Amino acid sequence: MCGAHDGRVASDSQIALTRLAGLLADGTRAAFCLALLDGRAWTAGELARHAGVAPSTASEHLSRLVAGGVLAEEHQGRHRYVRLADPAVAQLIEDMAAHGPPANSPPGTLRVAGARRALAFARTCYDHLAGRLGVAVADGLSGHGLLERRTGFAFTEAGTSWLEDVLGSLPGTTGRRPLARQCLDWTERRPHLAGTAGAALCRHALDQGWVARIGSGRALVVGPAGAEAFSRLLNIDVAALRLSLDDGGGT
Amino acid sequence: MCGAHDGRVASDSQIALTRLAGLLADGTRAAFCLALLDGRAWTAGELARHAGVAPSTASEHLSRLVAGGVLAEEHQGRHRYVRLADPAVAQLIEDMAAHGPPANSPPGTLRVAGARRALAFARTCYDHLAGRLGVAVADGLSGHGLLERRTGFAFTEAGTSWLEDVLGSLPGTTGRRPLARQCLDWTERRPHLAGTAGAALCRHALDQGWVARIGSGRALVVGPAGAEAFSRLLNIDVAALRLSLDDGGGT
DNA sequence: GCGACGCTTCGGCGCCGGCCGCAATGTGCG
DNA sequence: CGCACATTGCGGCCGGCGCCGAAGCGTCGC
């Protein structure tokens, strides 16, 4: 009598709401999004194993999430990397996940944010260094005239000597994999060092105890030896790096 | 190899996320929630007609939304009133609805928020005044010794005279409907005046141009004549009422 | 070039969930 | 007291969606 009757027309808001909610209403897709809350970019296969579904199933889910604007994707070689499309999306997912009636884990959000921060600082990407530390290494190399940013990356003559000094030997460029290659960093949005040199540097850093893995994930922690080494070799101030993360950090 | 394999255990966050998203993933339930964004409490039948589904269907949906903590319900007589459970829920729904990729209506949220604010200020509830204005009227009446808050509401002797003065005649108590009855206000969480006196006052306010309906909904706007009348009759400062809404208002 | 690997597409299967109509319940009103 | 109305519970139907396996394609690395 007194209310407005809109009939059964579906408004813009309604289709937008149901579309987004529908994407998140599936357990497998939700598991994907929650895993991606750590800020990393995952491959389709990793997510499939993580959620316990077949690769084909994961592929379909990822396509739908990308089409729905929840995820962003980037193809690197034979891998499909996906990440959350937007800090706003991450916030939304955290809000929804935190809206459980039992309210069982109030500090849950903090835990996630902490993990995300750690990953933004230093992690492995495939087999090389990434995160703020990885970008700083690439910046340090090019800042010292050791690495040229042409199309991709290329070590200078001084750079190859530096590599031999640090690693003891020059990494081979087995097959088609070049010594240096640039790889877009998902949290920094700037390139870090990949290729056999990047892999050898990462392995060396792990072997020497410069960095260590946190748990079973990709997150890395930089120890005192690492702070000394990065400072000596590339003039990188790890402490300042960590502070700068706190300034311009998370959303 | 390097990732953490969680198997296929569903974490707390995951079930919370899928549960909430699943509730919002249905078109009918989404239509309900979007309608409820105006801050009003709707009856099950109103929502059923609004969404174009059978009452039985609406009833099931509402039960699930209530069980999921999205809506809160209250039974009044043969009506089931529902409203959004929580300002946080309203915010979440607005965020999700606003997250459409086309980004077609940026000021949409503002429109909704504005409508909600207008409704919180003054509206009709059934056939009487509600919202902050309705509660203020009830407060003014009892503050002037015209209305007693016993079990429910009851007009005093001075109150009945006041009613006759204002309305010209005393509203009849047809059938079982009493002169005064208290009715819980959904936005203020405090009682406002219902019953035949409440209905007569509301009709009188509309007839006299004290208040006018906004569009076809229940929202009311208070005009200059209304501000004067409410001030003269009950010492209500409508402007201050509106300001207090801006202070303690929305989320 | 060749095998391995990651990813995608395509049918097909099975299940969950939304919808309705009908009957039952409880309330308001004359 | 009896009718009208709002709401609820119960089957039953049906469409949609998630899942997998098999086959195909492009890339990586020797």
Side-chain angles (χ1 to χ4, degrees):
Chain A
M1 298 302 175
C2 49
H5 299 276
D6 301 39
R8 38 164 63 245
V9 287
S11 70
D12 302 348
S13 313
Q14 184 183 344
I15 61 176
L17 177 57
T18 57
R19 214 173 42 78
L20 178 57
L23 287 173
L24 268 40
D26 176 71
T28 301
R29 286 194 294 266
F32 287 0
C33 292
L34 290 171
L36 290 164
L37 264 190
D38 65 3
R40 293 163 31 182
W42 294 52
T43 67
E46 286 173 332
L47 287 171
R49 284 188 296 275
H50 176 76
V53 296
S56 58
T57 305
S59 179
E60 295 177 14
H61 283 312
L62 291 180
S63 296
R64 299 180 62 170
L65 287 168
V66 169
V70 176
L71 301 187
E73 66 181 347
E74 194 98 357
H75 291 270
Q76 267 190 24
R78 55 182 166 182
H79 295 283
R80 177 200 218 179
Y81 281 97
V82 291
R83 58 188 162 84
L84 293 179
D86 192 330
V89 172
Q91 187 65 51
L92 203 53
I93 292 172
E94 281 192 352
D95 287 347
M96 292 186 67
H99 203 274
N104 35 19
S105 65
T109 306
L110 292 179
R111 247 190 306 117
V112 171
R116 192 164 46 175
R117 169 137 314 182
L119 282 155
F121 176 63
R123 65 178 183 276
T124 53
C125 167
Y126 216 12
D127 58 0
H128 49 270
L129 295 175
R132 186 148 299 199
L133 178 65
V135 172
V137 167
D139 287 347
L141 285 170
S142 63
H144 286 72
L146 305 174
L147 190 67
E148 270 189 337
R149 301 173 182 271
R150 297 181 308 198
T151 316
F153 280 161
F155 276 93
T156 63
E157 202 162 337
T160 33
S161 311
W162 181 89
L163 270 182
E164 281 187 305
D165 282 351
V166 172
L167 302 174
S169 65
L170 206 57
T173 64
T174 67
R176 296 184 186 174
R177 193 176 192 194
L179 186 63
R181 170 181 282 176
Q182 74 178 12
C183 175
L184 184 61
D185 194 283
W186 297 107
T187 50
E188 296 298 308
R189 311 288 174 101
R190 297 180 50 217
H192 57 239
L193 177 67
T196 56
L201 264 180
C202 179
R203 171 186 297 268
H204 187 71
L206 283 165
D207 289 345
Q208 297 295 311
W210 296 352
V211 299
R213 294 194 182 275
I214 301 176
S216 55
R218 294 181 172 183
L220 296 175
V221 59
V222 181
E228 187 277 328
F230 287 120
S231 171
R232 172 170 48 83
L233 296 172
L234 292 169
N235 202 27
I236 294 174
D237 185 343
V238 173
L241 216 58
R242 200 187 305 274
L243 284 179
S244 71
L245 190 66
D246 290 331
D247 293 342
T251 301
Chain B
M1 297 300 181
C2 49
H5 300 277
D6 301 38
R8 38 166 59 247
V9 287
S11 70
D12 302 347
S13 314
Q14 184 182 344
I15 61 175
L17 176 56
T18 56
R19 213 171 43 77
L20 178 57
L23 288 173
L24 269 39
D26 175 71
T28 300
R29 286 193 295 266
F32 288 0
C33 292
L34 289 171
L36 290 164
L37 263 189
D38 66 1
R40 293 162 32 183
W42 295 51
T43 68
E46 284 173 332
L47 287 171
R49 283 187 297 274
H50 175 76
V53 295
S56 58
T57 305
S59 178
E60 294 178 15
H61 284 310
L62 291 179
S63 296
R64 298 179 63 167
L65 287 168
V66 169
V70 176
L71 302 187
E73 67 181 347
E74 194 98 0
H75 291 270
Q76 266 189 24
R78 54 182 168 181
H79 295 283
R80 175 201 219 178
Y81 280 97
V82 291
R83 59 189 162 83
L84 294 178
D86 193 329
V89 171
Q91 186 66 50
L92 203 51
I93 291 172
E94 281 191 353
D95 288 347
M96 293 186 67
H99 203 274
N104 35 21
S105 63
T109 305
L110 294 179
R111 248 190 307 115
V112 171
R116 191 165 46 173
R117 170 136 316 182
L119 282 156
F121 177 63
R123 66 178 183 277
T124 54
C125 167
Y126 219 11
D127 59 359
H128 50 270
L129 295 175
R132 185 148 302 199
L133 178 66
V135 172
V137 167
D139 286 349
L141 286 171
S142 63
H144 285 72
L146 305 174
L147 190 66
E148 270 188 337
R149 300 174 184 271
R150 297 181 308 200
T151 316
F153 280 161
F155 275 94
T156 62
E157 201 162 337
T160 31
S161 313
W162 181 90
L163 270 182
E164 280 188 306
D165 281 352
V166 172
L167 302 175
S169 66
L170 207 57
T173 64
T174 67
R176 295 187 186 175
R177 194 176 190 195
L179 186 64
R181 168 183 283 177
Q182 74 178 14
C183 174
L184 184 61
D185 193 282
W186 298 106
T187 50
E188 297 297 311
R189 312 287 174 101
R190 297 181 48 216
H192 57 239
L193 177 67
T196 57
L201 263 179
C202 179
R203 170 186 296 269
H204 187 70
L206 284 165
D207 289 345
Q208 298 295 312
W210 295 353
V211 300
R213 294 192 183 276
I214 301 177
S216 56
R218 293 179 173 183
L220 296 175
V221 59
V222 181
E228 188 276 328
F230 288 121
S231 171
R232 173 171 47 83
L233 296 173
L234 292 170
N235 202 28
I236 293 174
D237 186 342
V238 173
L241 217 57
R242 200 186 306 274
L243 285 179
S244 71
L245 191 64
D246 289 331
D247 293 341
T251 303

